[in-house]
Amino acid sequence: MATYKTNDFRKGLKVQIDGEPYLMFEMNFVKPGKGNAFYKCKLRNLIRNTVLDRTYKGGESLESADVEDLDVQYIYRQGDTFVFMNEKTYDQYELSAEQVDDNWKYLTEGLKCSMVIYNGSPITMTPPNHVELTVTYCEPGAKGDTATNVTKPVKVETGAEFLCPAFIEIDNVIRIDTRTGDYVERARTK
């Protein structure tokens, strides 16, 4: 199995610690005035979603995780199970509501996502950075309410609610940033 030396450390690296896969989501190189340089890393466990803080001296190494990234398509939800399909092999993968976490808010039928497979089993999925969702319910904007940054909650086709500007109406299609959950723009009106 491949290993990564400290000079290979970077954000997004997938490594194995104590037999479990971790994602390095933060890495800082520290060179103190005296002594050797070291690397402060924050790693997220890809199975349990816990965070680990570790410090590594220059020259140390970590084993690469045996994970595979797949492009998948969201098909449907059945109770607390979300079903995805590999677009090349047509294999289907199921993730629990706990594994999908808050990403359910963005899942519409046919949405292309990225999935991480560890030892043949799916462990996490990531939606695209921006998704377009149709507004199914919102209160009408108040007449004369033209002040800047006036927002209201709107309900979208997935059942999730987002804060949007007051001019958004039912059947508008809005673009949401999945990394922050924030409204980006009105994509189009039906």
Side-chain angles (χ1 to χ4, degrees):
M1 187 161 290
T3 58
Y4 296 111
K5 294 240 182 256
T6 48
N7 59 346
D8 297 325
F9 285 6
R10 66 186 183 286
K11 186 178 175 181
L13 196 67
K14 293 181 178 90
V15 295
Q16 190 161 316
I17 300 172
D18 299 329
E20 292 193 338
Y22 284 83
L23 172 71
M24 191 175 292
F25 68 94
E26 194 176 300
M27 193 282 299
N28 295 307
F29 175 73
V30 180
K31 176 74 171 113
K34 283 184 173 177
N36 296 333
F38 56 92
Y39 298 81
K40 293 185 99 170
C41 304
K42 285 194 180 206
L43 304 126
R44 175 169 281 114
N45 186 310
L46 291 173
I47 296 173
R48 287 176 289 164
N49 211 24
T50 55
V51 175
L52 189 64
D53 284 323
R54 288 276 171 100
T55 302
Y56 297 97
K57 295 177 191 161
E60 287 189 84
S61 62
L62 285 174
E63 207 174 294
S64 68
D66 182 24
V67 295
E68 180 184 358
D69 289 318
L70 287 180
D71 290 327
V72 295
Q73 184 177 21
Y74 173 67
I75 305 174
Y76 62 91
R77 179 179 185 169
Q78 188 172 12
D80 280 348
T81 304
F82 295 82
V83 181
F84 298 85
M85 178 182 70
N86 182 331
E87 294 181 306
K88 292 180 182 145
T89 63
Y90 301 107
D91 291 337
Q92 290 189 4
Y93 299 99
E94 293 183 354
L95 287 176
S96 68
E98 187 178 86
Q99 290 172 306
V100 171
D101 200 27
D102 278 349
N103 290 326
W104 68 268
K105 297 176 182 178
Y106 316 111
L107 295 178
T108 56
E109 195 173 307
L111 183 71
K112 293 177 185 346
C113 304
S114 176
M115 182 176 280
V116 176
I117 307 289
Y118 178 66
N119 288 340
S121 299
I123 52 176
T124 61
M125 59 74 58
T126 309
N129 292 341
H130 295 92
V131 293
E132 292 184 358
L133 301 168
T134 304
V135 175
T136 57
Y137 178 78
C138 66
E139 294 292 331
K143 279 260 190 240
D145 201 353
T146 56
T148 56
N149 298 330
V150 176
T151 59
K152 64 180 180 182
V154 301
K155 195 168 195 165
V156 296
E157 60 190 300
T158 62
E161 281 192 2
F162 297 99
L163 283 178
C164 294
F167 60 80
I168 296 298
E169 299 170 352
I170 294 174
D171 287 338
N172 284 172
V173 178
I174 57 172
R175 186 169 286 124
I176 300 289
D177 187 331
T178 61
R179 298 164 292 189
T180 61
D182 293 337
Y183 167 86
V184 177
E185 64 183 352
R186 177 169 53 185
R188 62 184 181 273
T189 56
K190 282 191 170 183

